[in-house]
Amino acid sequence: MSAMTSMTTIVYRARKIITMNPMQPEATHVAVRDGRVLAVGPVERMQAWGDFELDGRFVDKVLMPGLVEGHCHLKEGAMFAQPYLGWFDRHDPVGQLWPGLRSMDAVVQRLIDLDAELAAQRTDPAKPLIAWGFDPIYFGGERMTVQHLDKASTTRPIVIAHANGHLMNVNSAMLRAAGIGAETEVEGVVKFASGEPTGELQEPAAMFLVVKKIGNAGLLAPLDPAGMHAFASMARRQGVTTATDLVNKLTEKDVEVLESVCNGDDFCVRILPAFQAFHGTHGAAQGAEHVRALMARNSDRLRYGLVKMMLDGSIQGFSARLRWPGHFNGAPNGIWVTAPAQYEDDFEVYHRAGLTIHTHTNGDEASEAAIDAIERVLSRSPRRDHRHTLQHAQMVDAPMFRRMAALGLSVNLFANHLWYWGDQHHDMTMGPDRAHRLDACSSALAAGVPLAIHSDAPVTPLGPLFTAWCAVNRVTPSGRVLGETERLTVPQALHAITLGPAWTLKLDHEIGSIECGKRADFCVLEDDPLGVDPMALKDVRVWGTVLSGRVFPVVSA
Ligand SMILES: [Zn+2]
């Protein structure tokens, strides 16, 4: 990949170019100079710009703007260094398939095998076995406890991270090592009727008891260059050229790794890390100053400036905060990860510092608390074009979207849930009425709320075309269609994976469409997403990407 020399113009001819620019929705040629789009249209139009090189490598491909993932996490790249225990089959960064485990027994058997492998390798018996991607909700509501995990080992500590990232299960050896017992009084430590802990730990305060014990092992390891390159390889396979790392402590070490990797010439994704907000008046002010100082170091491929805040937990983990009538199966209401009053105070500090804040809200009580808080902050401290965004916001209904529009809020809906947990939301968490308006994409657009859709990888796999397929079809694994009237058209869904997220990231002037002046970011496809059956949108094949004019074909394993 050689860097483009200035003033060299390359004109790519394609089978079709989907520009996402309504003035010129389709074209056959695009001229690229200095990493930017110089011109789009018939080749004759490009001659006025002087000499150019005609490049035919995309002559049988379809180009669209590089896809934008507005809510994912760089650790998607490093996850497969640990064993995967999910229900769905899943591909790793080199395209290898990890088969899903379809029963609790299969999960336990896999752990027995893994423990035996570690023993055969003569690994330190105290070294924890860490795995990820588990979700008990697929097994009919039975919760995992120490009794399951102790079948794999009663001596080696075992830590199972749930797919949602908000919960974990540990065995009795890990409970002992972490000093968690009947006497432990920390919210989120689930207990049997006897008062003994079940081994399930919900949300950060409870999980921290284990995390501080196993240190930076496994899933909780800080960013490293290998994981970032694995992420980039996944992004390239999925046509993604801009992605967020939607919660990052941005420590000195994190910043060093981000800058050395992203600014390297071979890196094929633009990364926007969102700072994990510090709490408290002093902490928030310090955090805001930290982000503002980092922004001075922004480059094309690394953009600081976003702040991430969290209100509640996960719907499928029953740790989200729901309004009346609560959980369909009678489970108690979830957990405030940040108390709403604290959220409002912290939010105001970052808002006044001019930063854009992305707030995790899953249940509708949390979304409403965010909207209430932001409304008060904006009345005290009005600011135009803030682009504050609610992330997930899965239970937001039409009246809440109308309030969001009035406040200038954007939304990034977790459309992949329609497939991955649609049936469970219908049957267990929220019931049919609210499941039909899950991730209500059309209601958001009807209310005038700028819309993006996302994967939250590694919670679900990175892949915006799959995410678009979810929003267009709204089908579940059992064959239900959840809320037909909330379905997007294919062009609306393509907008929600290009210009939509570009807007929420305040980058719509640079990316999201193929037009003169924008970055030459392309997603290169073998098939035409506007030409295939909408049910085949997820099967559209990606050839590779172009990032600021540099071409990155998918490298096969
Ligand atoms: Zn996330």
Side-chain angles (χ1 to χ4, degrees), residues 123-322:
T123 318
D124 173 4
K127 187 186 180 225
L129 165 54
I130 301 170
W132 69 287
F134 174 71
D135 193 338
I137 203 164
Y138 299 116
F139 308 135
E142 186 191 3
R143 302 304 285 183
M144 176 182 265
T145 72
V146 284
Q147 281 142 18
H148 296 99
L149 292 182
D150 285 354
K151 285 185 209 157
S153 178
T154 51
T155 50
R156 182 189 298 285
I158 299 177
V159 181
I160 307 301
H162 287 218
N164 55 44
H166 290 257
L167 279 74
M168 57 173 57
N169 275 94
V170 301
N171 66 346
S172 55
M174 187 66 242
L175 283 176
R176 275 195 308 278
I180 302 170
E183 69 295 341
T184 307
E185 294 295 341
V186 173
E187 188 184 22
V189 175
V190 181
K191 291 177 178 169
F192 292 115
S194 68
E196 290 298 323
T198 69
E200 179 171 325
L201 305 170
Q202 302 180 340
E203 301 301 330
M207 293 195 292
F208 182 68
L209 300 171
V210 165
V211 171
K212 70 180 178 196
K213 211 66 206 171
I214 59 177
N216 282 334
L219 304 175
L220 309 150
L223 275 175
D224 72 347
M228 285 187 64
H229 284 291
F231 176 87
S233 142
M234 209 151 215
R236 180 188 321 200
R237 283 179 180 279
Q238 300 298 336
V240 173
T241 51
T242 299
T244 51
D245 184 27
L246 214 72
V247 60
N248 193 310
K249 291 190 163 70
L250 295 181
T251 63
E252 215 172 301
K253 180 77 194 153
D254 293 330
V255 166
E256 192 188 305
V257 172
L258 281 166
E259 293 186 358
S260 70
V261 174
C262 293
N263 295 332
D265 250 356
D266 58 337
F267 202 63
C268 63
V269 218
R270 182 178 297 106
I271 301 292
L272 287 85
F275 176 67
Q276 181 178 352
F278 293 159
H279 297 300
T281 318
H282 181 65
Q286 228 179 6
E289 205 176 300
H290 182 51
V291 178
R292 294 217 58 100
L294 286 172
M295 285 169 78
R297 306 163 66 95
N298 281 354
S299 62
D300 176 23
R301 289 193 291 282
L302 180 61
R303 312 293 181 100
Y304 301 106
L306 303 178
V307 175
K308 171 78 176 290
M309 299 186 72
M310 299 265 292
L311 267 167
D312 66 340
S314 140
I315 303 173
Q316 70 277 23
F318 298 97
S319 60
R321 291 293 306 192
L322 271 56

Side-chain angles (χ1 to χ4, degrees), residues 111-125:
L111 291 166
I112 293 171
D113 297 344
L114 289 164
D115 179 61
E117 273 171 41
L118 287 175
Q121 293 160 10
R122 297 179 183 283
T123 318
D124 173 4

Side-chain angles (χ1 to χ4, degrees), residues 135 137-138 163 316 414 417 419-425 459-460:
D135 193 338
I137 203 164
Y138 299 116
Q316 70 277 23
F414 197 167
H417 254 257
W419 172 256
Y420 283 101
W421 287 282
D423 288 320
Q424 286 69 35
H425 292 320
V459 176
T460 70

Side-chain angles (χ1 to χ4, degrees), residues 4 8 10 75 129 134 145 196 272 306 321-322 334 365 381 411 420 441 443 516 525 536:
M4 293 197 36
T8 304
I10 297 182
K75 74 178 174 197
L129 165 54
F134 174 71
T145 72
E196 290 298 323
L272 287 85
L306 303 178
R321 291 293 306 192
L322 271 56
E365 188 185 5
S381 174
V411 76
Y420 283 101
C441 296
S443 290
C516 178
L525 300 168

Side-chain angles (χ1 to χ4, degrees), residues 501-521:
W503 167 271
T504 68
L505 305 175
K506 261 192 174 171
L507 282 183
D508 52 306
H509 58 302
E510 282 191 58
I511 62 172
S513 61
I514 302 177
E515 52 186 301
C516 178
K518 288 204 177 182
R519 301 265 166 197
D521 288 3

